[in-house]
Amino acid sequence: MTHQPETDTSTATGSAADDEGWHIFRGDGLRRSVTIPEAPPWRRFGGMGYGTTPGESPYVIGHEETDVINAAIHLRRPLLVTGHPGTGKSSLAAAIAHELDLGPVLHWPVNSRSTLQEALYRYDAIGRLQQSGLDRSPGEVGPYIGSFLRLGPVGTAFVATQGPRVLLVDELDKGDIDLPNDLLTIFEEGTFEIPELSRLPEDQADIDVFTADPHQRARVHRGMVRCTEFPLVVITSNGERDFPPAFRRRCLPLHLGDPDKERLEKIIESHLGPDALADAGDLVQAFLAQRAIGELATDQLLNAVFLRHGGARLDGGGLLRTVLHRLNADG
């Protein structure tokens, strides 16, 4: 006989009611209807920025760092941002885009298989060939090439617009060793060619192609994409390898160090409010003590404070150790 899980029809009272907000899953096999609590601000999706809704929480940064960012904006040079995981390298791009009202961040996450070609554009030659082979009426025009070509995040960043876009090249040090040098030409010239379009006859000099922005198109003339405003480029690196001197010379370096106690408290308050900060003193101290002997990310502390504020019992037990687990290999 198949065992059917029981359904919990009782009404929680006393300590069970107090515990209900935290213990959603109880491991007792009883089926119950629950209300899933709201996610942390940094895990809410559906906004127009990178990861979370831009501007939902202020980006906490020092004056020296903002000076470097402003220098990059004035000089039209990429920012090469380094620092330990969790120091806010990637979210810096969303903070800039939000504060300067520059639209959604164009995000290129780099891995070992990434190529500049795919970040510039993709051409679905097979799809166009299949459409060309379909039966057509006499005189009917073949498939429009612009429907089979889409600009990638880097390509979209260099489309001519009234203002610059923010381009996030995330974890460039994970890419091929030649990838930084591949970026040099487009960063210096602000233009690139799409050969599939430049070979078209004169009567097809202007082609509308898709961009990395949903449902948006851009017009490309004679196969050349030229920017009118150099994008605000944020390149992040975890320091896994060095970049060529020629590449580093064209970037402005920005190192985001591990935040101290004062900055950690500001980050907590900006994300979770003063009430959460008031009850987080011991968690901040535990985080700093753990970080002194092994690598930790700031969002791990935010996770701990968020759970504490939601009713979790966080002390020296297993849950706190799980949330503040060390990130380096020997941890």
Side-chain angles (χ1 to χ4, degrees):
M1 182 175 66
T2 303
H3 174 71
Q4 297 292 330
E6 299 179 58
T7 301
D8 184 7
T9 57
S10 61
T11 302
T13 58
S15 61
D18 297 335
D19 204 34
E20 186 175 356
W22 161 244
H23 279 109
I24 304 167
F25 173 76
R26 302 181 186 180
D28 55 11
L30 299 179
R31 181 178 297 159
R32 55 177 64 84
S33 296
V34 300
T35 300
I36 303 297
E38 191 173 35
W42 54 92
R43 293 297 298 168
R44 297 172 192 165
F45 300 94
M48 295 299 291
Y50 171 72
T52 60
T53 304
E56 189 168 19
S57 299
Y59 189 86
V60 180
I61 193 170
H63 292 297
E64 292 184 4
E65 290 85 358
T66 57
D67 284 344
V68 176
I69 295 168
N70 280 294
I73 295 173
H74 284 283
L75 296 173
R76 307 302 197 270
R77 288 293 185 183
L79 274 170
L80 181 56
V81 187
T82 58
H84 289 148
T87 51
K89 300 188 298 296
S90 298
S91 54
L92 174 61
I96 295 173
H98 166 71
E99 189 169 323
L100 303 184
D101 195 20
L102 297 178
V105 173
L106 295 165
H107 182 208
W108 181 28
V110 177
N111 57 52
S112 60
R113 300 178 300 278
S114 297
T115 64
L116 179 58
Q117 169 65 47
E118 69 181 20
L120 293 177
Y121 73 95
R122 291 177 180 269
Y123 174 53
D124 185 7
I126 296 178
R128 187 175 183 227
L129 182 62
Q130 290 173 338
Q131 288 293 318
S132 299
L134 298 177
D135 292 335
R136 299 185 183 281
S137 304
E140 185 179 355
V141 179
Y144 183 63
I145 188 173
S147 299
F148 299 89
L149 199 148
R150 180 181 295 275
L151 300 178
V154 177
T156 302
F158 282 84
V159 168
T161 55
Q162 292 183 345
R165 295 291 299 274
V166 176
L167 170 65
L168 172 62
V169 181
D170 212 4
E171 298 190 330
L172 182 60
D173 51 334
K174 292 186 180 298
D176 184 83
I177 192 171
D178 293 326
L179 192 54
N181 285 328
D182 294 340
L183 283 167
L184 285 181
T185 300
I186 186 173
F187 281 172
E188 286 302 292
E189 298 181 1
T191 184
F192 67 93
E193 181 183 12
I194 303 177
E196 292 85 352
L197 300 185
S198 59
R199 292 193 294 260
L200 295 175
E202 187 65 33
D203 61 350
Q204 299 181 55
D206 293 313
I207 299 294
D208 293 330
V209 303
F210 290 107
T211 71
D213 295 314
H215 314 299
Q216 298 295 318
R217 286 180 179 259
R219 178 156 294 183
V220 178
H221 179 70
R222 301 305 303 163
M224 299 300 298
V225 176
R226 293 185 175 89
C227 72
T228 52
E229 284 284 349
F230 188 79
L232 302 183
V233 183
V234 177
I235 303 171
T236 71
S237 169
N238 288 323
E240 294 186 5
R241 62 177 173 83
D242 292 331
F243 296 117
F247 179 80
R248 288 188 282 108
R249 179 171 63 85
R250 289 167 171 83
C251 301
L252 292 188
L254 173 63
H255 181 75
L256 298 181
D258 294 326
D260 58 15
K261 182 175 182 291
E262 181 180 0
R263 187 178 169 198
L264 286 173
E265 291 174 344
K266 289 181 180 178
I267 291 173
I268 293 171
E269 186 171 12
S270 69
H271 282 280
L272 299 172
D275 291 342
L277 175 61
D279 195 33
D282 61 321
L283 296 180
V284 174
Q285 294 297 333
F287 176 84
L288 291 171
Q290 283 286 88
R291 197 180 68 184
I293 59 176
E295 189 175 308
L296 293 178
T298 304
D299 60 354
Q300 292 175 277
L301 174 60
L302 288 173
N303 290 338
V305 177
F306 179 79
L307 292 178
R308 162 76 64 77
H309 200 52
R313 292 187 295 273
L314 283 172
D315 46 30
L319 183 55
L320 182 60
R321 287 196 300 270
T322 298
V323 176
L324 299 184
H325 64 279
R326 290 163 58 184
L327 303 180
N328 45 333
D330 60 351

